[in-house]
Amino acid sequence: MSRAHPLRDAVAEAVIEVGGLLREWRPSADARSGVWEGSQFKARADAMAHRALSERLAAIDGHIPVISEEDAGSLARERPTRYWLIDPIDGTASYVHGFPGYVTQAALVIGGRPEVSAVFAPESGTLYTAVRGQGARRNGMPLPACEAAPPGRGVLTDNTSAPDGIARRVYEHFGYGEYLESGSISLKLCLIAEGSAHLFVKDVPVRDWDVAAPGLVLEEVGGRLTRLDGTGFGYRDGYEHTGLVGAADPVTGRAVARWLAG
């Protein structure tokens, strides 16, 4: 049995409910329709999920504001000391094109650190939760600490059918022999936390809402998440960063970041 934690359990229920809605909406061409905003496709379902998740979080505690990728007004204001940081759909491309690799997620950020988080993958029905200092869980069961995985050992993950770009450089340089194709940024970090993968490297723009919830899951099992240059995500000031390195083994995370910086 999992030890009760009111906020963890409440946010878990919220993302599970919104995940159910996403599955209901998915057959609708209208929900999957949208527009391109720069390099990102915004589906109508993104906005629908934003409203649904924001309403549920407000019902948990109406005094905690919500900052969302889908609410430009919330991003323009100064960050409060305590807020929900949400990504209603992480992996919109997977959602729109019929692939399972998307999630809905939320993290409670206090003083510049995620403290409680929940990530739900609707197609597999998998729920990841974490509370700072109390560990991480998968479908309510505690996740064990990450095992040592030195550079080149274990599974590299990315969202292409084979390693490409920076993932291919890392794969070849460090001598990886196993690779796992996966979907959203969040899902890949959660796969590392559960032990299905061991390293994820990306050099595209990454936003705080992509990584706050799964980053806490990974951190609570002893993994390491940094920006591409090896510095941490501070959840202050700007929301966008250049790339990330997510590793089950902190030694590997540091080694990869150093190599890329050099």
Side-chain angles (χ1 to χ4, degrees):
M1 289 291 291
S2 65
R3 183 169 53 162
H5 186 285
L7 271 180
R8 180 197 63 201
D9 296 343
V11 69
E13 182 177 352
V15 295
I16 289 172
E17 289 180 359
V18 173
L21 292 174
L22 286 169
R23 293 197 74 192
E24 288 180 20
W25 300 334
R26 202 177 192 194
S28 166
D30 184 50
R32 299 193 313 273
S33 66
V35 297
W36 285 94
E37 294 182 6
S39 62
Q40 288 195 306
F41 182 77
K42 298 288 188 179
R44 185 165 182 266
D46 283 301
M48 295 162 65
H50 160 76
R51 288 193 295 271
L53 186 52
S54 296
E55 289 169 359
R56 283 159 175 78
L57 295 176
I60 294 171
D61 187 334
H63 298 292
I64 304 177
V66 174
I67 294 180
S68 170
E69 175 183 13
E70 307 304 327
D71 180 5
S74 70
L75 300 176
R77 294 188 287 270
E78 184 178 351
R79 295 202 204 203
T81 56
R82 187 169 184 252
Y83 61 94
W84 292 108
L85 183 59
I86 71 172
D87 194 349
I89 307 178
D90 185 45
T92 300
S94 290
Y95 182 81
V96 168
H97 295 294
F99 298 111
Y102 68 93
V103 303
T104 183
Q105 60 189 8
L108 179 64
V109 180
I110 302 175
R113 297 197 314 176
E115 296 287 340
V116 180
S117 73
V119 178
F120 184 61
E123 299 302 323
S124 65
T126 306
L127 172 70
Y128 302 92
T129 59
V131 178
R132 184 170 296 280
Q134 297 185 26
R137 297 175 181 271
R138 181 185 187 273
N139 290 339
M141 300 300 294
L143 284 171
C146 291
E147 297 181 357
R153 184 182 301 175
V155 181
L156 181 71
T157 184
D158 201 2
N159 60 336
T160 51
S161 58
D164 191 28
I166 194 171
R168 182 176 179 179
R169 289 172 54 205
V170 170
Y171 186 88
E172 294 178 347
H173 176 80
F174 289 99
Y176 281 90
E178 296 182 79
Y179 177 78
L180 175 65
E181 180 183 2
S182 183
S184 74
I185 287 174
S186 177
L187 187 56
K188 287 189 276 285
L189 294 174
C190 288
L191 290 174
I192 294 173
E194 73 174 30
S196 298
H198 301 88
L199 181 67
F200 170 47
V201 183
K202 207 69 177 174
D203 58 356
V204 299
V206 177
R207 287 87 180 177
D208 283 351
W209 50 80
D210 296 323
V211 299
L216 181 59
V217 174
L218 180 58
E219 182 180 345
E220 283 298 305
V221 293
R224 186 172 190 263
L225 173 66
T226 68
R227 296 184 292 188
L228 202 63
D229 63 3
T231 60
F233 289 84
Y235 304 100
R236 301 180 189 275
D237 303 320
Y239 291 91
E240 186 171 295
H241 314 272
T242 301
L244 62 79
V245 178
D249 189 329
V251 172
T252 296
R254 286 190 287 269
V256 171
R258 283 196 302 267
W259 178 71
L260 292 171

